Amino acid sequence: MAENEQPGRFKQIRMVAGMVAKADRKALPIVFGSALGTLAIFVLIGIFVGPLWFMIPLGLMLAIIVGLVIFGQFAQRTQYRMLEGQIGAAYGVLDTMRGNWVVTPAVAGNRNMDVVHRVVGRPGVILVSEGPSSRVGSLLGAEKKKVSRLAAGVTIYDIQVGTEDGQVPLAKLQNKLAKLPRNLTKAQVNDLNDRMRALPQRPAAPGGPMPKGVRLPKGPKPPRR
């Protein structure tokens, strides 16, 4: 079975590399240059300090790691760029977050296909909108009033995802949520989720359901308290 899996993985890597190269011509040269530079440093250390037989394998291993890390960063940036502007892109990012987060997609929306997603976590309730700021303000305000009836005393945040002034770019959404203060305990989060289930469920926004299984790199883990 392993033999059948390997070609698929290599094909996936080639596809991602192709997308990265198309998005940024300098990306792959930077990846290979960084890896070769790391290897060269260890070879020089082996020649002048030694032992060379130890430094070459060590440098090779670290060169591969450096190359993969930098390649992953370019791949992540490319994926976010491809998702930018698509309906449900913010949900795709929210759904891959690490930690105790419960994401409910498209709790509010309109005919323009602007949507609001609800996130419950240690900070409290976070309402995340997708759409122009001129249109999502009323959606966020109405949803905030609805949530506040069942979440008395709980902090409610609203975040607009987009490229306009005052909005949060898609690539920075996970970091934005991860940096919010931890206002609730795990037990309080569970209780809050139970209360949120009492809210009427809204069907997916116009244009189809929110995307499932978006393969994005995991975001930062929220700090423990």
Side-chain angles (χ1 to χ4, degrees):
M1 184 175 290
E3 292 180 358
N4 294 331
E5 289 178 358
Q6 287 301 324
R9 291 176 184 174
F10 285 125
K11 185 177 180 181
Q12 228 176 15
I13 292 173
R14 285 198 302 269
M15 287 175 61
V16 174
M19 290 188 294
V20 169
K22 189 175 180 181
D24 186 349
R25 292 182 180 180
K26 296 179 181 179
L28 295 185
I30 290 174
V31 170
F32 288 113
S34 301
L36 290 174
T38 302
L39 177 59
I41 290 172
F42 277 84
V43 170
L44 290 173
I45 293 174
I47 292 173
F48 293 104
V49 180
L52 186 60
W53 62 265
F54 175 73
M55 287 299 173
I56 290 178
L58 180 61
L60 183 61
M61 181 177 64
L62 289 176
I64 292 172
I65 293 174
V66 168
L68 288 175
V69 169
I70 296 176
F71 177 73
Q73 291 174 343
F74 278 113
Q76 180 181 12
R77 193 181 305 169
T78 302
Q79 285 176 316
Y80 282 130
R81 194 176 300 171
M82 291 173 65
L83 281 173
E84 195 80 54
Q86 293 187 26
I87 300 170
Y91 170 64
V93 173
L94 292 168
D95 199 41
T96 61
M97 288 188 65
R98 293 177 176 178
N100 188 24
W101 305 94
V102 176
V103 184
T104 306
V107 294
N110 58 29
R111 292 181 180 179
N112 296 311
M113 292 186 288
D114 306 319
V115 291
V116 173
H117 312 296
R118 185 177 67 238
V119 184
V120 176
R122 295 285 299 277
V125 179
I126 306 103
L127 302 175
V128 180
S129 69
E130 298 185 60
S133 57
S134 59
R135 296 200 303 249
V136 297
S138 57
L139 283 176
L140 287 168
E143 191 61 25
K144 203 166 187 177
K145 287 181 181 178
K146 190 191 304 180
V147 169
S148 63
R149 297 190 191 106
L150 293 175
V154 174
T155 305
I156 303 174
Y157 299 90
D158 60 85
I159 297 174
Q160 294 187 20
V161 175
T163 56
E164 298 177 14
D165 290 340
Q167 293 187 328
V168 177
L170 190 66
K172 297 182 179 180
L173 179 57
Q174 288 190 354
N175 283 333
K176 178 72 174 179
L177 267 68
K179 290 178 180 179
L180 292 175
R182 269 48 197 163
N183 302 314
L184 304 176
T185 64
K186 290 183 179 180
Q188 289 173 322
V189 171
N190 292 334
D191 176 66
L192 180 58
N193 273 316
D194 290 338
R195 283 185 274 167
M196 290 298 100
R197 291 190 186 99
L199 289 172
Q201 297 298 310
R202 177 188 175 90
M210 296 297 102
K212 289 280 186 178
V214 178
R215 298 178 70 85
L216 288 173
K218 295 291 185 181
K221 292 183 178 180
R224 295 181 179 179
R225 284 194 174 184

